[in-house]
Amino acid sequence: MEPEWSEIPAFYFGNTASVTGPNDPVEIFPGSEWFDCELEVASIIGRQGSNLHPNEAEDYIVGFMIFNDWSARDLQQKEMVLNIGQAKGKDGANTFGPMFVTSDELEPYRSGNSYSLKAEAYVNDEKFGEGTLDQMDWTFGEVVSFASRGTKVMPGDAICSGTVPTCCLAEHFAVATARSLAPRDGDQPPSPDSNQENFRGWLQPGDVVRLDVELLGSQQQEVLRIRLLPSLPHLWPGLESRQSPPQSHPRHEEPLCAPKVDEAALSSCRRF
């Protein structure tokens, strides 16, 4: 993992226009075949602040909510190559709730960098990830402080924890791929065709995602099929590949949804 991950609490800006409720269905982002969920906890800012010191920044947090940072991993991979941040891989849906719990209520559970709250992630009632919120790499004070540098945090802002370890599919995908490349107990590594044999697969239409966090409640959402969009071959060839009949784009032979996998980037998704 790149050393910069340990030097600053990296973050990106989410799309406030795509906030959904804790039981609302969520459509797969247009153009994506690698659709994923992320179990996080959002800290909610209660008053305006700027250039906050980490020791004072937590005083600006009024409470916490479960946050699902829905992600299109194939689109994310393509966008990150451009070195200008995340865009369509992240902005299609952001889910909060159901409960808002004030900071003082969680104080008895303070542990490590955060709070000792058990978190679990399920797809179709099958648990695929679990951990605790105190596995955060940075404190909430540190991440709020960093977000406030040179600008303002405002009442109602949601500044999130990063994914609880094992509670996103991308992490399991990276682990499954890495395992297939290294022999164990003297065995020969499997063929490249079996790289993903231990991976459950990305989210599909009809899947039901449930995220549980101790004291913060549970949210449950059905994954819906991609809506039909106008064909835009002149802007992004391949975008409509899963939404409309195939069209010929001779200048672009590489399909949109088959990027080269960067396991290091995927496995780092749990960081703030």
Side-chain angles (χ1 to χ4, degrees), residues 26-106:
V26 168
E27 294 180 349
I28 295 174
F29 298 178
S32 176
E33 293 182 351
W34 293 9
F35 195 50
D36 196 0
C37 56
E38 292 187 30
L39 171 53
E40 304 189 23
V41 169
S43 65
I44 308 301
I45 301 300
R47 57 194 174 105
Q48 180 178 312
S50 179
N51 296 315
L52 302 175
H53 189 278
N55 292 342
E56 65 173 334
E58 283 201 17
D59 293 338
Y60 287 72
I61 299 173
V62 292
F64 298 88
M65 306 176 75
I66 299 175
F67 172 57
N68 188 345
D69 184 15
W70 300 92
S71 305
R73 301 301 184 187
D74 41 5
L75 306 186
Q76 182 183 15
Q77 285 277 299
K78 277 190 170 290
E79 292 167 346
M80 296 304 285
V81 175
L82 304 177
N83 293 321
I84 56 174
Q86 306 185 74
K88 289 302 173 184
K90 284 284 190 178
D91 77 343
N94 302 281
T95 301
F96 294 88
M99 298 171 62
F100 172 80
V101 178
T102 56
S103 302
D104 60 304
E105 294 181 86
L106 296 188

Side-chain angles (χ1 to χ4, degrees), residues 16-257:
T16 58
S18 64
V19 172
T20 68
N23 297 300
D24 295 338
V26 168
E27 294 180 349
I28 295 174
F29 298 178
S32 176
E33 293 182 351
W34 293 9
F35 195 50
D36 196 0
C37 56
E38 292 187 30
L39 171 53
E40 304 189 23
V41 169
S43 65
I44 308 301
I45 301 300
R47 57 194 174 105
Q48 180 178 312
S50 179
N51 296 315
L52 302 175
H53 189 278
N55 292 342
E56 65 173 334
E58 283 201 17
D59 293 338
Y60 287 72
I61 299 173
V62 292
F64 298 88
M65 306 176 75
I66 299 175
F67 172 57
N68 188 345
D69 184 15
W70 300 92
S71 305
R73 301 301 184 187
D74 41 5
L75 306 186
Q76 182 183 15
Q77 285 277 299
K78 277 190 170 290
E79 292 167 346
M80 296 304 285
V81 175
L82 304 177
N83 293 321
I84 56 174
Q86 306 185 74
K88 289 302 173 184
K90 284 284 190 178
D91 77 343
N94 302 281
T95 301
F96 294 88
M99 298 171 62
F100 172 80
V101 178
T102 56
S103 302
D104 60 304
E105 294 181 86
L106 296 188
E107 195 58 33
Y109 299 88
R110 185 173 289 278
S111 172
N113 280 344
S114 182
Y115 302 93
S116 181
L117 302 180
K118 185 177 181 180
E120 298 176 326
Y122 297 80
V123 176
N124 301 329
D125 291 325
E126 178 183 350
K127 181 163 62 177
F128 73 86
E130 62 180 333
T132 56
L133 187 57
D134 58 5
Q135 294 175 279
M136 288 175 62
D137 294 311
W138 304 87
T139 68
F140 277 110
E142 288 170 334
V143 297
V144 171
S145 169
F146 189 75
S148 75
R149 292 183 63 181
T151 184
K152 300 173 183 177
V153 292
M154 302 294 290
D157 283 352
I159 300 180
C160 304
S161 63
T163 311
V164 174
T166 76
C167 291
C168 69
L169 297 176
E171 188 170 339
H172 294 273
F173 176 81
V175 170
T177 302
R179 283 177 178 169
S180 71
L181 301 177
R184 299 184 299 276
D185 301 323
D187 297 334
Q188 292 299 313
S191 68
D193 294 338
S194 62
N195 279 357
Q196 300 178 41
E197 63 181 2
N198 296 320
F199 176 56
R200 72 163 306 281
W202 304 103
L203 297 174
Q204 301 296 322
D207 284 344
V208 176
V209 174
R210 189 176 93 236
L211 305 182
D212 301 342
V213 178
E214 184 180 4
L215 301 181
L216 300 184
S218 177
Q219 55 179 236
Q220 180 170 295
Q221 296 174 275
E222 181 181 359
V223 176
L224 301 183
R225 187 178 305 277
I226 303 169
R227 77 181 78 181
L228 292 176
L229 295 179
S231 178
L232 302 173
H234 61 294
L235 296 179
W236 196 345
L239 179 62
E240 72 287 354
S241 61
R242 297 190 67 206
Q243 308 159 88
S244 58
Q247 299 185 21
S248 175
H249 305 299
R251 294 178 56 197
H252 297 267
E253 298 179 355
E254 180 184 358
L256 174 67
C257 296

